Every structure is written in C-alpha cells, then in structure tokens.
Amino acid sequence: MWKYLLIWMIISCLGFTLCFSRPGRAPFAMRISCGAQQDSQTKPTKTRWRKDFGYTGGISVNGTRPSYITPPLKTLRYFPLSQGPQNCYDINGVPKGHYSIRIFFGIVIQQSVISEPLFDISIDGTQTHSLKPGWTNEDDQVFSEALVFLPDGSVSICFHSTGHGDPAILSIEILEIDEKAYYFGPQRGQGIMLRTVKRLSCGYGQSKFDIDYGGDPWGGDRFWQHIQTFGQGSDQPRSVETKIKEASLPPNFYPESLYQSALVSTDSQPDLTYTMDVDPNRNYSICLHFAEIDNSVTAAGQRVFDILINGHVVLKDVDIINMSGDRYTTLVLNTTVSIDGRTLTITLQPTGDSDAIISAIEIFEIIMPESKTLSEEGLFPFLISAVVSKASTYQKRIRALQTLKMALVLPSRFGWNGDPCVPQEHPWTGVNCQLNRSIGKWVIDGLDLNNQGLKGFLPNDISKLQNLRTLNLSENSIRGAIPSSLGTITGLEVLDLSYNLFNGSIPESLGQLTSLKRLNLNGNSLSGRVPAALGGRLLHRASFNFTDNPGLCGIPGLPTCGAHLSAGAKVGIGLGSCVAFLLLVTCSVCWWKRRQNILRAKQIAARAAPYAKARTHLSDIQLTKHHPHPHHHRGNAHTAAENGPVLLS
C-alpha cells in the first residue's frame, strides 16, 4: 500500500514539475548587427551577433551609440529617403512561436551635426512604434520592443520615413519567449501585439537587463529602468537580500532581484502615485509587481490598498501576503484599461493606516494587428512565378518585389518593400487599397502610376489583380502589346494607358470590360480595327480616346479601315508593288533588246539591197543577148502592149 502511494506521489511531483518548469530546450535567439560584414561577439556578456542580412536597401556606415545601454556595436544601416519611403528587414528561418522583437536605433554623424531621425516601425504590416523628439535623451527610448506571435517562420520588420531624417538601425533582436508569456485573458490571442511602453524597477539598484540580473533567457532579456522615487517626497526605497519565493517561474520568468527592492509610501503621504505621458485613445495592459519585504508587515491584513488608474478603482483591497500566500513571495497583478487622454496615473491608495508598496511596473500598449494584403495580390505572383516556385515564402516575396521593380523599371525612390497596403499610414506609392471585410484582407483596387518615368512592360499576369477598379499608367514609356488578360478584370472602371509606347492591336478581350467608364489609349502606336464590341458599347456608356494612334480605324472619329490600311497591309502592298515594278523593268528590258535586234537586222538588209539590184539588171541584159528569137520579141511587145504604151528608141 505504501509502495503504491509513494509511486503516486513521485508521479504527481514529476507532473507538477513538467507543468510549471521552463521548456527543456534553449529559446530561439537571433541577433543582427546592422551594417556589419562579419559575425561578432560583445562583452561583457559575450553576446553573439550575426552579420547584416535580410535588408531591402540602405547604406552601411559606422554608427554612434545614443546611450550606454545600446549594444557596443560599431556599424549601423541607415535608409535615405532617395531609396524609398519604406525599407525592411525580411527575416526567414524563425520558428513558429511568441517572440520579443527589439530594435536599437543608431545615430549617423554628418558634418559634425548629430541628426535625431524620427520614423515609424512596423512588424508584419502592423505599425508598432513612432519615434518622438528627444528619444536620444531617454535610455528606455533608444530602442523599440514588441511582443508578437510569428505563425509562418518569417518576419518582416519595416522602417517608414516620415520626412524627419533617415531611419538608422543599429541592431535587431528576435528572442523567443514562453507561449503564454504576458497572457492576460482570452483577448490575449495569438494575433495580439504588445508594445513595451515602460518597465520600471522601483527602489534601490541600477537600470539593468535580465541578463545582468542573472535572469532566465526565456524572459527575453528585458530592460528594467531603475526609479528610486516617484517624486514629491511621497515614497522611500526599501531593499532586502532575502530570497524571494515564486520568482523566475514560467511563463514570464521575472528575475528574483526585481522583488528585492521596492518603494514604500510615507506616513505623510500614504498614497503612492506614478504618472507618465502616453498616446491617447489606446488600450494598455499594466502589470504591477509586489513582494512583501517590509519587516513591519508580517501577516495578512496588515497592508491593504486599492489600485486606481486615472482615478478609477481597478483592483480593490489588495493584500500582498494574503494573495501571494506568504512574505517574500512574488505577486503580479494585471489590468487592462482604455486611456482617452495623454496621461496615465497609477495610484496605490491604502484603505487603513498602513502604507502602500510596489516593486516594479510594466506598461504595454495593446495593438490589434492589421489585416494583411490578399497573398496573391500582395506578393504579385504575376511576376515570373515559375522562377520562384521552389523558393520559401520569404524568398518569393523578395524576388517578386524585385522582379516587379525590374519589369516596370521602377525608380528607387518608390521603395515598394513590405506589405503593399499596411500599415495603413504607409501604403506603397501609387497603390490604392481597400479592406474586403468578407475575407478580412486588404485588396489592391487601384494602381495610379502616371508620369513616373516607367520604361518596362505590362505583363499578362496583371490579371491576378482581380480587384482593380482603376489602372492609370499614362505618360510613361511602357512598351509592348496591351495584355489581353486585362479583359478578365471585369470590375475595371478606369483604364488609362495613354501617352506610352504601346503597339500592336487592341485586344478583343477589352470588349468584356462591362464596368468600364473611361478608356484612354491615345498617344500610342496602336494599329488595326477597334474591336466592334468595345467600340459599340463605349459609344453609349463610357468616355474614350483613341486619337494619336496612326494605325487605328473602325469607329467614328477614326479613319475607315478600307481607306486607312493597317501597317501589315501597307507592308504587303509595298512588297507587291516592288515585285510588279521588277517585272515591269524586266519586260521593258526584254522588249528593248528585241527591238534593238530587229532594227539591227533591217539596217543590214538595207546595206545589202543595191548590190542585189545590180546583179538582177545584168542578168536581164545577158538573157537578151543570148535569146534573139522573134517570138520572144513579140511576146515581150505583147506583154508591154497589155501593160501600157512602150517607148521605142
């Protein structure tokens, strides 16, 4: 009996240990030293940094650290506006899971003037941070940190210019955390992002990272800013070296040292109040950390207080010993609040004669992730998709974007990196988007790229953009034929390809665009007959312009197709004329030679005629002499008499 009971107890203990211990493997960690050409290692923690990779543009230069907490790295990557308003790091090979993503900013010194750039940051299409003036003077503002869930093995981290200096990035850290880290209820789903606004370690001590506290790596190596007082003489620090129970446990793995110091309110000012500025009209998750380390409080009920946010009670009758179970034991309380104004005030208000106490504060902005662009549109698969069929999602995205830039010869100032439609504050230049609520995705409903210096061609697979309503590529130098696949975008309302270098005929398929309201094909080198279905409907339902196309015919306002031949017909007629001309020349030459031969023969005959006559007369005389018979004379006289008078001498 006792043997079975012992076995059951051992199994129960093992099960408890497995449920509440950290995972057996080390957390995934990727640290990138931006602008670096080689892998490196930094002291004193011997942190390993990978050389720069995954970026879409930018320039590598020597960097300057704005704060002592910035990693001691020598280079950075900055993104001048001339290379586009948004540039990204597209990182592949990140396992599915929850991560703390931290980006340290750098400073580029130009002409001895320190430039403090202000720009926006987005992660997988969701804007997570906007730098504010003066960030170089605040240690906990020299980096941006967000807690995110990455579902597909990759992450895109983009930097968006706002016109106030070029984004400059010193390093990027992608650190795996526990799957239930900072779980605060059902609303903390996989899609929710948390942006770190503030982390405070109260009381004695120094500003440190988890690694400096000796914290567990599954905590994500957080930075805790030390604060020794909330101000106005309302508090005083406390600290102990006593071991703290229930610290550094999953899912958040808070370092034990965090709870060995605290701020305690004074008798003259029993309320303990912390105030800070925040962005208005946002939702915030607030974690408050406690451990009863005051020797004057030894039992439950001796210290009880309410917690107020902006004057409203959010947690009532907080008793640390009662709620944690003992002295020197951690207690973490979480609340979610909506802030309308620009100030967040946290007040610990005692309900009796005791004082209030607090060890640490964490404040996060709750960010709902943006719906991404529909994948077949966002990745632009109409760009040589066969080339990337065996590539990863990350590689397909990068190659597709690069191919698009090459196909249209897009100027570098366009950028076109990241998601075309999100964040909503920074869509791609010339791209119009609309949220399709039925599928929860953004779709591209317009491309407005007129007069942008494009010199490429329009690929057939543009038909993948089935949600297009407007396509304006006018006043560029786009060559080649008009893709027949345009006729499959049945919702197209405006098609403007005017003043380009399009050639060939107008595809018959354009007659299928039943929603078309405006069609401009003027100013090109198009030829042939305007499709009957297209012309007939346009005359009644839409405006159109086919002028300045010398080879077009077939509708009112253009030459009739009989009177105005196509280029092919002109070539045929030209070839026929040449053949006929050659035949005519050949016949003329033959006739002329024959004529010359006849004339030459006549000339020869004419020269030979006098000699022939002389021989004839002589013969006649000789015949007369040799035949003097009288009958002969009579015969001759008779003949002469019959033919007329004869003169005799």
Side-chain angles (χ1 to χ4, degrees):
M1 178 68 179
W2 287 105
K3 181 172 68 172
Y4 292 112
L5 180 60
L6 180 61
I7 293 173
W8 179 84
M9 291 177 64
I10 293 173
I11 293 174
S12 299
C13 290
L14 287 173
F16 181 85
T17 302
L18 290 173
C19 291
F20 291 96
S21 64
R22 63 190 174 186
R25 64 178 178 85
F28 175 89
M30 180 183 289
R31 294 179 171 92
I32 302 172
S33 176
C34 300
Q37 302 299 313
Q38 302 292 334
D39 294 348
S40 62
Q41 203 172 47
T42 54
K43 299 179 179 180
T45 57
K46 295 184 178 180
T47 302
R48 300 185 65 85
W49 298 89
R50 296 183 61 174
K51 64 182 179 181
D52 205 9
F53 75 99
Y55 49 84
T56 61
I59 300 173
S60 174
V61 296
N62 292 329
T64 301
R65 300 167 60 194
S67 168
Y68 75 95
I69 72 168
T70 302
L73 301 172
K74 298 180 180 180
T75 61
L76 58 78
R77 179 167 295 277
Y78 82 99
F79 303 95
L81 186 58
S82 60
Q83 294 191 4
Q86 57 268 331
N87 281 277
C88 304
Y89 273 82
D90 292 294
I91 310 300
N92 198 27
V94 182
K96 175 181 177 181
H98 287 82
Y99 290 86
S100 171
I101 297 179
R102 184 163 55 210
I103 301 131
F104 276 93
F105 319 131
I107 294 294
V108 178
I109 298 180
Q110 296 177 334
Q111 299 178 351
S112 301
V113 177
I114 295 180
S115 173
E116 183 187 65
L118 306 178
F119 53 93
D120 295 341
I121 300 171
S122 68
I123 298 176
D124 279 348
T126 299
Q127 184 163 313
T128 58
H129 190 73
S130 295
L131 275 72
K132 296 178 174 57
W135 62 265
T136 53
N137 300 321
E138 300 288 339
D139 289 335
D140 65 342
Q141 299 300 308
V142 298
F143 65 87
S144 169
E145 182 184 83
L147 308 179
V148 303
F149 175 73
L150 303 179
D152 60 2
S154 64
V155 60
S156 179
I157 304 169
C158 298
F159 311 103
H160 309 272
S161 298
T162 60
H164 302 281
D166 299 324
I169 310 302
L170 190 81
S171 67
I172 297 174
E173 296 176 273
I174 305 173
L175 309 175
E176 187 179 10
I177 58 178
D178 190 275
E179 64 177 7
K180 291 189 178 297
Y182 293 98
Y183 182 85
F184 55 81
Q187 66 270 38
R188 174 70 171 100
Q190 291 183 342
I192 300 297
M193 295 183 176
L194 295 179
R195 179 181 72 86
T196 304
V197 177
K198 185 73 68 175
R199 278 198 179 97
L200 297 176
S201 174
C202 304
Y204 290 114
Q206 295 179 341
S207 299
K208 294 181 179 181
F209 288 90
D210 274 5
I211 193 171
D212 300 320
Y213 276 118
D216 193 289
W218 279 97
D221 197 22
R222 293 153 293 202
F223 174 74
W224 299 90
Q225 185 181 23
H226 168 251
I227 184 169
Q228 192 167 352
T229 179
F230 289 158
Q232 300 178 348
S234 61
D235 50 33
Q236 53 188 357
R238 292 277 194 277
S239 67
V240 297
E241 295 183 358
T242 306
K243 184 174 178 60
I244 303 297
K245 292 175 283 187
E246 304 296 330
S248 196
L249 295 178
N252 293 330
F253 301 95
Y254 293 115
E256 180 184 11
S257 301
L258 194 66
Y259 300 93
Q260 292 177 323
S261 67
L263 286 175
V264 181
S265 62
T266 61
D267 293 338
S268 60
Q269 184 64 42
D271 290 355
L272 199 56
T273 302
Y274 173 73
T275 299
M276 67 169 293
D277 294 334
V278 294
D279 293 329
N281 304 314
R282 310 288 174 89
N283 294 321
Y284 293 89
S285 177
I286 302 172
C287 294
L288 304 174
H289 298 257
F290 306 94
E292 187 54 77
I293 62 173
D294 194 334
N295 291 330
S296 64
V297 179
T298 59
Q302 294 182 3
R303 190 194 304 276
V304 181
F305 53 87
D306 296 336
I307 299 177
L308 293 77
I309 304 294
N310 285 358
H312 301 286
V313 177
V314 294
L315 295 168
K316 192 171 179 60
D317 296 331
V318 175
D319 186 331
I320 299 172
I321 294 179
N322 181 54
M323 297 174 73
S324 66
D326 201 356
R327 299 174 66 200
Y328 306 109
T329 304
T330 64
L331 173 67
V332 182
L333 301 177
N334 173 262
T335 184
T336 301
V337 296
S338 179
I339 305 297
D340 296 330
R342 295 184 174 274
T343 302
L344 171 63
T345 300
I346 302 172
T347 303
L348 279 58
Q349 190 175 77
T351 58
D353 295 333
S354 62
D355 301 323
I357 187 172
I358 190 167
S359 298
I361 299 174
E362 291 180 286
I363 302 172
F364 304 96
E365 179 187 345
I366 300 173
I367 300 176
M368 297 299 295
E370 292 270 15
S371 299
K372 296 183 180 180
T373 303
L374 192 63
S375 60
E376 55 263 31
E377 296 191 346
L379 299 183
F380 289 94
F382 56 91
L383 301 166
I384 316 181
S385 58
V387 175
V388 297
S389 60
K390 297 183 180 180
S392 66
T393 301
Y394 159 71
Q395 292 169 328
K396 287 181 181 180
R397 179 181 295 114
I398 295 302
R399 291 183 184 180
L401 294 174
Q402 295 300 329
T403 305
L404 177 62
K405 293 177 183 179
M406 290 191 302
L408 294 180
V409 195
L410 241 66
S412 58
R413 57 184 168 79
F414 272 67
W416 277 32
N417 299 302
D419 191 294
C421 298
V422 291
Q424 295 181 53
E425 298 87 347
H426 302 284
W428 283 2
T429 302
V431 176
N432 301 322
C433 301
Q434 185 173 356
L435 181 62
N436 187 325
R437 300 187 182 279
S438 63
I439 60 175
K441 298 285 186 180
W442 288 90
V443 297
I444 299 172
D445 69 346
L447 286 177
D448 192 359
L449 299 172
N450 66 303
N451 196 21
Q452 296 295 336
L454 307 183
K455 300 179 181 179
F457 63 94
L458 192 58
N460 255 317
D461 285 344
I462 192 173
S463 59
K464 299 295 184 181
L465 298 177
Q466 280 293 306
N467 295 282
L468 274 182
R469 297 291 179 270
T470 301
L471 178 58
N472 185 357
L473 301 175
S474 61
E475 299 182 76
N476 288 291
S477 298
I478 304 174
R479 300 175 178 273
I482 297 175
S484 60
S485 60
L486 279 174
T488 66
I489 310 176
T490 55
L492 200 60
E493 297 177 356
V494 175
L495 177 58
D496 193 341
L497 305 179
S498 60
Y499 298 107
N500 278 282
L501 302 173
F502 286 106
N503 54 33
S505 60
I506 299 175
E508 293 282 346
S509 61
L510 295 192
Q512 302 170 16
L513 299 178
T514 56
S515 300
L516 207 58
K517 297 178 180 177
R518 186 169 81 246
L519 175 64
N520 290 339
L521 300 179
N522 52 300
N524 284 284
S525 299
L526 300 172
S527 59
R529 183 186 296 273
V530 175
L534 181 65
R537 189 172 62 257
L538 290 176
L539 287 173
H540 298 90
R541 299 186 56 187
S543 64
F544 64 94
N545 193 338
F546 296 123
T547 59
D548 297 329
N549 285 286
L552 276 185
C553 62
I555 64 170
L558 297 178
T560 59
C561 290
H564 200 103
L565 298 175
S566 66
K570 290 179 179 179
V571 171
I573 292 174
L575 290 174
S577 300
C578 290
V579 171
F581 177 75
L582 289 174
L583 289 173
L584 180 62
V585 170
T586 302
C587 292
S588 298
V589 170
C590 292
W591 176 86
W592 181 81
K593 286 186 175 182
R594 183 178 177 81
R595 176 69 176 171
Q596 292 299 314
N597 291 336
I598 293 172
L599 291 176
R600 189 178 297 111
K602 288 183 177 181
Q603 289 175 355
I604 293 173
R607 286 195 297 269
Y611 298 99
K613 287 182 178 180
R615 287 196 300 270
T616 302
H617 292 311
L618 180 60
S619 176
D620 290 343
I621 294 172
Q622 290 175 350
L623 286 174
T624 303
K625 287 182 177 181
H626 287 92
H627 301 281
H629 197 278
H631 294 286
H632 175 75
H633 289 283
R634 286 195 298 269
N636 286 339
H638 174 75
T639 303
E642 290 177 348
N643 292 330
V646 177
L647 181 64
L648 299 176
S649 57

